[in-house]
Amino acid sequence: MKRRKFITKYAYTPWFRTTRRVCAQLILPFTIFQLIRTLFIPTVFDVLLLTVFIAIAVSIYFEIV
């Protein structure tokens, strides 16, 4: 029987873990700023950028990435 290989966050390379930590710290302020900007001056680009930021924030929060 074949054993499954589980991937933990420690299996990643150090540069990837550092990049992920930096993104996790910066994505929330960027998302809040973009939300405020979208509320005052909504354009198609702002809404799309806010959607991307929310998707990144959720994927980092749930550890998908």
Side-chain angles (χ1 to χ4, degrees), residues 10-65:
Y10 301 108
Y12 296 126
T13 59
W15 65 267
F16 182 77
R17 285 186 285 175
T18 304
T19 305
R20 188 179 180 279
R21 274 192 303 244
V22 169
C23 288
Q25 288 179 346
L26 293 178
I27 194 64
L28 190 61
F30 286 162
T31 304
I32 292 171
F33 174 76
Q34 189 62 35
L35 176 66
I36 293 169
R37 180 184 157 136
T38 304
L39 289 175
F40 288 122
I41 310 168
T43 62
V44 174
F45 177 73
D46 288 328
V47 173
L48 290 175
L49 190 60
L50 179 62
T51 306
V52 169
F53 282 167
I54 290 173
I56 291 171
V58 168
S59 68
I60 288 175
Y61 177 74
F62 288 118
E63 295 183 356
I64 296 172
V65 175

